[in-house]
Amino acid sequence: MKTRRQAAILDLVDRVPLSSQEGLRRRLKALGFSVTQATLSRDIRDLGLVKASGDGAYHRPGTESADPAVATSRLRRAIAEYLTGLERSGQLVVLKTGLAQAQPLASAVDAARMSGVIGTIGGEDTVLVICRNAPAAASVAARFDRMART
């Protein structure tokens, strides 16, 4: 039963953004798994699930949600929470954050798989977003700016 329950948990966190144990417990109950909070906590620990700072949802370590809507939502939250400044130079976009906030923002940008973005490098308070070319960087910078304003 434990193996099947844990497989169901992994399937749920891969498909659905779940940010609380209670939400996860309810989903499991709907699938026929009745678990206590203590059992669920042990399962989460055993599976190594982590809460992403961008969207607050449980994820497998080192993985991001495959759902583009979830990734975009996570990026919006990360921008709202961490972004303090933005500048573009050629095919590069530089995102400024507070101390120790660049990594979660870089992770959210990577997970969003934005068109024109090749990759990111996250430092302590700066994220370097590398784009395919200058027009792509202009588009990406404008999108970040729109997200920051909404």
Side-chain angles (χ1 to χ4, degrees), residues 35-92:
V35 295
T36 65
Q37 187 274 329
T39 298
L40 188 53
S41 289
R42 279 191 298 276
D43 285 344
I44 289 169
R45 185 189 64 235
D46 291 350
L47 294 169
L49 299 180
V50 295
K51 275 195 165 188
S53 60
D55 65 0
Y58 288 105
H59 295 278
R60 295 180 198 221
T63 64
E64 300 302 330
S65 172
D67 183 349
V70 172
T72 300
S73 175
R74 178 176 173 230
L75 177 59
R76 285 183 191 284
R77 285 189 205 114
I79 285 174
E81 188 172 345
Y82 304 126
L83 187 67
T84 61
L86 175 145
E87 203 168 318
R88 185 180 73 83
S89 176
Q91 73 185 66
L92 306 175

Side-chain angles (χ1 to χ4, degrees), residues 107-120:
S107 175
V109 172
D110 289 339
R113 295 186 175 128
M114 296 173 69
S115 176
V117 173
I118 295 173
T120 63

